[in-house]
Every structure is written in structure tokens, then in C-alpha cells.
Amino acid sequence: MPALAIWSPEDEVLGAVAPLALGAAAGTAVVVDVDPSGPRYPGDMTLARLVADGPTKADLSPQRSGVAVIANGGIDAEDAEEVLRALVNGWPAVVLRLPADHSGDGGAIPVLPLVPGSILKRYPGPAVYQRSAWRVRPPQGGVVLPRPRPGTVGALLSGRAPHLGDRWLRAWRRVWDHAWE
């Protein structure tokens, strides 16, 4: 499976939970936060520590199925390029969480809330659209996700494995299969 880079410029909670959901949808994946100001994901491993100490063989490939999460730890992506390449080469699926102020270039996939009106910026090209309480017609060319169950979001943000049969997580699988070109 490829590596996918995602970012959510409009919703901080969506920006924190979307990479975890995308990783869970892959089955076995590593989620790497490349935002030095990113969320404090549960766990001890950070990208900054991997760069400083050098990754071990165990860091560079899955030791079991499921999702591994590597918080940022305060390092810029440019300073971690070698480690990021090694992770992409060793894991079956890699999710890169980009900062909310990412420019949107380089093939990164925006994850946007589907809300009424036009006050939020829309990005050209395909995107992942998260349904909300409003019935809004989604733009063409992207993946539209159903509303998540609170328990699923709570599990992901707490570092617990959600129920993998969850409808929202199943919908995230389409993101891996979508033609993002």
C-alpha cells in the first residue's frame, strides 16, 4: 500500500482523528505526525526521537497488526526525510499527518468538513469530505465519509483500538483505493 499525506485546514479535531482513522482502515499501518506543533498522541515514540537515536529494525516494520502512532516531538519534516523514507519502505501503509497550514501541494489530500455556506475555503481537486449534522451536497471527485460514532472517535483519540467493523472506518478504506491524481 502507498503512503498517503493528509491534512485538515478547517477542523483541528478532524485533523487529529482523520490520520488515525485512515491508519485503522488500512489494517496494519503507521501514522506519523510531521507537524512540529501537532497533537499529543498517546505513546512514547516520537519522530524527533527516531531521528535523534536512529530507528531500530523493529521501528521500521510492523511487529504486529494494527496501527502504530509516531507523534512528532518538535521536528520539521525536512530534518526527518531519511527516517520517513525508511518508514515508507518498511510498513505496508503509512499515513503522514501534515499541519493545518500546509500549502496543499505535493499530492497531499485535504480532509474537509462538509458544512453549509461558502465561508470555508475550498481546495481544487479531490478531497475527503466529512459529513456533519447538515445535509450538504458534496463537491465531485472526492470521498464522502458518513458521520462517525462518538465512541469510535473517542477510542481513536484515547489510543484504543476501535471496532474495525465500524461504518465510518470502513468508509475510510475508500481513501486508500481512490485515484488521487
Side-chain angles (χ1 to χ4, degrees), residues 25-105:
T28 299
V30 62
V31 174
V32 184
D33 187 0
V34 297
D35 178 3
S37 300
R40 293 183 304 263
Y41 288 116
D44 297 327
M45 182 56 64
T46 68
L47 185 57
R49 194 168 117 207
L50 276 179
V51 171
D53 298 345
T56 65
K57 185 177 179 181
D59 296 327
L60 297 177
S61 62
Q63 302 307 299
R64 62 181 193 269
S65 63
V67 179
V69 179
I70 300 174
N72 185 277
I75 191 168
D76 289 323
E78 296 80 31
D79 297 330
E81 278 188 54
E82 189 175 318
V83 169
L84 292 171
R85 267 195 226 101
L87 290 167
V88 168
N89 289 334
W91 282 79
V94 178
V95 179
L96 302 174
R97 182 201 170 275
L98 303 178
D101 63 356
H102 179 71
S103 64
D105 59 356

Side-chain angles (χ1 to χ4, degrees), residues 24 149 151-152 155 160-170 173:
R149 290 182 38 246
T152 301
R160 296 187 324 267
H163 184 269
L164 295 179
D166 181 83
R167 184 181 119 176
W168 186 61
L169 291 178
R170 284 194 323 266
R173 291 181 194 149

